[in-house]
């Protein structure tokens, strides 16, 4: 064979071999839904393998025979992914390793970090709800704190500092509460800002009552909004919240005054039934005060030369206008006159220059002066105006049950005034002292005025002439067994000033039932 012929033959063989390798192999007959392969572990002829066998233990069991495992191509070989605990989620672990099941899903991966709703919301989860207790000391609240509470009674005023408003999400809430109940009006808990943040536009807020609470919400920048609540469902404060003991012997005067100041325009004041708060000196009732004291007592302490009483007037006792919008419901005011010496200058409840006042269902006893005093002076305090008194009891007054000395638009509906002792000793004494303390436009009704040393009711216009003095009427009154007249209008030059009794009755009065009444003043 020539060299040319040999080369041609080799080229042909190579071309045939190349064509054979490159072409797909074919088989005479292959069943549907099968592939060509070989089962088993050793070499041998090719087989048609049905799909039912292909996707079965014959193939996948080569990786694992454990139920729930998933085949995965790892960094260098194929292997199984273990199923993990029930409820797990398959999570990527990167590009060079197989995914893995995670229970729970971590917070950092967008999960809750918990397998129950409670665990998910806890501090180990997404931290919606958590509690941090702290004892009797100062504390810096963490941005991760959600509710922080006391775990001990405070022995001194303490301060807890909020985290920076920008260290938490906008709208995030943090609650601070006296869970232990150890906060008092003296041992307060102040919650202050961090840095230059503000809290309700200020630098701090204070919890000064047991079981008080504040909820703070951040704007995410520099401001906290704070809302206060207390142990009561209503905004109620008692004298005990401000340090009073109210055991009938401790001097609660300082605490009572602090209580009155604090409830002004902010809370309803209440003295719980059965409590007896004693006080050594008068207290001032400011404007916008409401007091409920049904079944409870305010009592003057034993002592000498100290004026007591609840004063609805200015701090000097009557040189400037008194308070407005004051309401007192229920309670007993005890002047304790048997255990005290004078001189005394105030009634148990004393109003001068006050306006828009309600006194209802109040008992005033053992009064060292008057049991109730309503008045004022038109040149200093102004007269007391728009006063509504109802169902009042005055018993054992040293002076009068009720004195009216400068009122306008006054109404008394229902009273029992008895046992007034020394002069003037009237059940009710209507007594303008001069033109500046005139009474006008008032009504007295449905009162029992009995057993007093003076008159049941005395209408005294003094020497003041003119219809502006004592311009009003009384009806439905009963005056019995008084030491002077039952009903007396003093005979003076101003006797025509316009007061009228209607439907009055009485008996057994030492000075007679009706005295010094003009013809148009008789019942």
């Amino acid at each position: 064979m020539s060299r040319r012929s040999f080369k041609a033959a080799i080229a042909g063989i190579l071309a045939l071999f190349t064509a054979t390798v490159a072409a797909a192999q074919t088989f005479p007959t292959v069943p549907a839904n099968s592939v060509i392969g070989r089962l088993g572990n050793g070499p041998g002829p090719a087989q048609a393998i049905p799909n039912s066998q292909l996707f079965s233990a014959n193939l996948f069991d080569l990786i694992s025979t454990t139920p729930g495992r998933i085949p995965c191509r790892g960094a260098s070989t194929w292997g199984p992914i273990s199923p993990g605990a029930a409820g797990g989620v398959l999570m990527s672990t990167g590009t060079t390793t197989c995914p893995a099941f995670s229970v729970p899903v971590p917070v950092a991966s967008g999960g809750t970090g918990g397998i129950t709703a409670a665990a998910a919301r806890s501090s180990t989860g997404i931290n919606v709800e958590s509690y941090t207790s702290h004892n009797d000391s100062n504390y810096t609240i963490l941005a991760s704190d959600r509710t922080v509470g006391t775990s001990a009674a405070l022995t001194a005023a303490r301060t807890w500092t909020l985290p920076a408003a920008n260290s938490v999400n906008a709208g995030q809430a943090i609650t601070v509460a006296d869970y232990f109940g150890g906060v008092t009006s003296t041992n307060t808990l102040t919650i202050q800002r961090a840095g230059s943040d503000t809290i309700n536009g200020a630098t701090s807020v204070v919890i000064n009552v047991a079981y008080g609470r504040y909820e703070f919400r951040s704007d995410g920048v520099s401001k906290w909004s704070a809302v206060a609540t207390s142990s009561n469902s209503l905004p109620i404060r008692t004298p005990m919240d401000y340090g009073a003991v109210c055991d009938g012997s401790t001097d609660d005067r300082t605490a009572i005054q602090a209580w009155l100041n604090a409830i002004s325009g902010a809370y309803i004041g209440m003295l719980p039934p059965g409590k007896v708060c004693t006080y050594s000196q008068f207290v001032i009732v400011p404007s916008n005060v409401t007091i409920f004291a049904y079944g409870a007592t305010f009592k003057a302490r034993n002592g000498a030369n100290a004026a007591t009483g609840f004063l609805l007037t200015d701090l000097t006792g009557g040189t400037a206008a008194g308070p407005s919008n004051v309401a007192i419901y229920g309670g007993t005011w005890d002047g304790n006159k048997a255990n005290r010496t004078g001189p005394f200058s105030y009634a148990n409840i004393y109003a001068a220059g006050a306006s828009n006042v309600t006194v209802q269902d109040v008992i005033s006893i053992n009064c060292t002066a008057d049991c109730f005093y309503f008045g004022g002076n038109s040149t200093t305090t102004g007269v007391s105006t728009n006063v509504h008194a109802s169902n009042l009891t005055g018993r054992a007054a040293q002076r009068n049950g009720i004195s009216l000395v400068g009122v306008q638009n006054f109404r008394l509906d229902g009273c029992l005034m008895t046992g007034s002792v020394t002069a003037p000793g009237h059940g009710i004494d209507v007594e303008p002292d001069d033109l500046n303390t005139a009474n006008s436009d008032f009504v007295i009704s449905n009162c029992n005025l009995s057993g007093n040393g003076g008159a049941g009711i005395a209408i005294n216009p003094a020497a003041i002439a003119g219809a502006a003095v004592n311009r009003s009427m009384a009806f439905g009154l009963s005056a019995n067994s008084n030491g002077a007249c039952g009903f007396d209008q003093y005979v003076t030059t101003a006797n025509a000033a316009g007061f009228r009794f209607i439907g009055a009755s009485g008996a057994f009065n030492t000075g007679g039932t009706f005295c010094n009444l003009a013809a148009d003043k008789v019942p």
Side-chain angles (χ1 to χ4, degrees):
M1 179 180 295
S2 66
R3 180 183 294 272
R4 183 182 297 275
S5 299
F6 179 77
K7 290 183 177 180
I10 293 300
I13 292 171
L14 292 174
L16 177 61
F17 179 77
T18 302
T20 301
V21 173
Q25 298 185 36
T26 59
F27 296 86
T29 302
V30 178
N33 300 315
S34 63
V35 297
I36 299 300
R38 178 170 177 76
L39 298 175
N41 297 319
Q47 300 170 294
I49 304 174
N51 289 345
S52 60
Q53 286 186 279
L54 178 65
F55 296 98
S56 69
N58 290 317
L59 177 62
F60 291 103
D61 279 0
L62 295 175
I63 299 175
S64 176
T65 59
T66 301
R69 287 192 171 184
I70 301 172
C72 172
R73 182 64 167 84
S76 59
T77 62
W78 283 85
I81 298 174
S82 297
V89 176
L90 189 63
M91 299 179 60
S92 172
T93 57
T95 59
T96 60
T97 57
C98 288
F101 284 95
S102 176
V103 179
V105 179
V107 175
S109 299
T112 65
I115 59 175
T116 66
R121 295 171 66 86
S122 73
S123 60
T124 59
I126 56 178
N127 197 23
V128 174
E129 299 160 347
S130 64
Y131 177 69
T132 303
S133 64
H134 193 72
N135 56 23
D136 178 26
S137 63
N138 296 334
Y139 179 61
T140 299
I141 300 170
L142 304 178
S144 58
D145 287 337
R146 293 296 172 262
T147 298
V148 187
T150 57
S151 60
L154 302 189
T155 59
R158 304 300 183 191
T159 299
W160 292 0
T161 304
L162 287 169
N166 64 5
S167 68
V168 299
N169 287 342
Q172 177 63 59
I174 293 178
T175 299
V176 177
D178 178 26
Y179 276 83
F180 192 85
V183 170
T184 69
S185 60
T186 301
N187 299 335
T188 58
L189 178 58
T190 297
I191 303 95
Q192 70 178 10
R193 67 183 182 181
S196 59
D197 288 353
T198 59
I199 304 172
N200 289 349
T203 60
S204 64
V205 294
V206 178
I207 297 175
N208 55 14
V209 296
Y211 305 107
R213 182 180 68 186
Y214 265 99
E215 180 183 281
F216 302 87
R217 285 192 180 270
S218 170
D219 69 347
V221 182
S222 62
K223 297 180 177 66
W224 291 94
S225 174
V227 177
T229 60
S230 73
S231 57
N232 305 292
S233 57
L234 291 173
I236 293 173
R237 295 290 184 269
T238 73
M240 290 78 76
D241 292 329
Y242 299 86
V245 179
C246 295
D247 59 358
S249 60
T250 303
D251 186 1
D252 296 315
R253 193 257 179 180
T254 299
I256 292 171
Q257 187 64 68
W259 169 62
L260 292 170
N261 294 341
I263 65 176
S264 174
Y267 305 107
I268 295 171
M270 185 180 76
L271 183 61
K275 291 292 185 181
V276 179
C277 295
T278 61
Y279 59 111
S280 56
Q281 192 176 9
F282 65 82
V283 292
I284 300 295
V285 181
S287 295
N288 304 310
V289 162
T290 297
I291 298 172
F292 286 86
Y294 288 95
T297 301
F298 291 98
K299 184 177 181 179
R301 288 173 55 78
N302 298 351
N305 299 320
T308 59
F310 274 51
L311 275 55
L312 282 67
T313 183
D314 69 295
L315 290 173
T316 64
T319 60
S324 61
N325 303 317
V326 174
I328 301 174
Y329 299 96
T332 297
W333 270 254
D334 186 348
N336 192 24
K337 70 177 181 179
N339 298 302
R340 301 177 62 233
T341 58
F344 307 109
S345 56
Y346 296 121
N348 284 353
I349 294 181
Y350 180 98
S355 60
N356 302 319
V357 174
T358 299
V359 182
Q360 179 177 315
D361 304 330
V362 172
I363 299 171
S364 183
I365 61 175
N366 305 319
C367 315
T368 54
D370 298 329
C371 286
F372 300 92
Y373 180 99
F374 302 98
N377 187 301
S378 60
T379 63
T380 55
T381 64
V383 298
S384 288
T385 60
N386 301 325
V387 177
H388 179 203
S390 62
N391 193 27
L392 301 187
T393 296
R395 190 165 59 242
Q398 186 68 25
R399 192 171 178 273
N400 299 313
I402 297 176
S403 287
L404 301 183
V405 189
V407 297
Q408 184 177 28
N409 296 330
F410 174 90
R411 184 175 71 183
L412 170 61
D413 184 12
C415 74
L416 169 61
M417 296 294 143
T418 183
S420 296
V421 181
T422 58
H426 304 317
I428 299 176
D429 191 5
V430 182
E431 48 166 334
D433 294 328
D434 52 41
L435 286 173
N436 297 324
T437 58
N439 301 302
S440 61
D441 302 315
F442 64 97
V443 177
I444 300 172
S445 62
N446 302 313
C447 283
N448 184 339
L449 314 167
S450 302
N452 299 291
I457 179 170
I459 309 299
N460 179 15
I464 307 169
V469 180
N470 297 336
R471 184 179 64 240
S472 200
M473 65 181 180
F475 60 89
L477 305 188
S478 175
N480 303 285
S481 303
N482 293 290
C485 294
F487 304 90
D488 194 354
Q489 178 158 318
Y490 292 7
V491 177
T492 70
T493 57
N495 199 26
F499 190 90
R500 180 184 296 273
F501 291 108
I502 301 174
S505 64
F508 307 111
N509 296 288
T510 300
T513 299
F514 302 104
C515 304
N516 303 315
L517 302 185
D520 64 343
K521 309 301 188 299
V522 296

